[in-house]
C-alpha cells in the first residue's frame, strides 16, 4: 500500500519522532510506514487521519492486485 504520510507530515512541520510520540508508536514504525515497509492497523490509520484532519484515503492509497478483481 502506498501512502502520502511523509508528505503530509512534512507539510505540518513535524518530525518522525514527534509524530511517533503523538501516536504512541516508535519512530521506526513511522519510518516503516513512510517507506511502504509496513501497513498500519486500521486503528493506527484512523489515528493518523484524525491527527491530520483528513480522510484515511487521503493518506493511504489502496491498490488492488489483479487477483482480487473479482471481489
Amino acid at each position: 500500500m502506498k501512502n502520502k504520510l511523509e508528505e503530509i507530515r512534512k507539510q505540518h512541520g513535524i518530525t518522525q519522532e514527534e509524530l511517533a510520540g503523538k501516536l504512541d508508536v516508535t519512530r521506526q514504525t513511522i519510518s516503516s510506514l513512510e517507506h511502504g515497509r509496513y501497513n498500519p492497523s486500521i486503528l493506527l490509520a484512523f489515528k493518523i487521519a484524525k491527527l491530520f484532519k483528513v480522510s484515511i484515503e487521503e493518506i493511504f492509497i489502496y491498490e488492488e492486485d489483479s487477483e482480487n478483481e473479482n471481489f
Side-chain angles (χ1 to χ4, degrees), residues 52-68:
F52 290 122
K53 297 182 173 98
V54 297
S55 70
I56 290 174
E57 293 85 0
E58 290 179 71
I59 302 172
F60 299 98
I61 299 100
Y62 174 71
E63 295 177 336
E64 288 191 41
D65 37 302
S66 57
E67 292 179 21
N68 293 327

Side-chain angles (χ1 to χ4, degrees), residues 2 7-8 11 16 19-20 22 24 27 34 37-39 41 46-51 53 56 59 63 70-71:
K2 294 184 180 183
E7 176 185 333
I8 293 169
Q11 287 173 354
Q16 287 184 342
L19 180 57
K22 291 176 185 286
D24 199 27
R27 187 205 54 78
E34 289 183 352
R37 294 188 303 261
Y38 173 71
N39 290 328
S41 68
F46 272 108
K47 285 181 178 181
I48 293 168
K50 184 177 181 179
L51 179 72
K53 297 182 173 98
I56 290 174
I59 302 172
E63 295 177 336
N70 294 327
F71 290 107

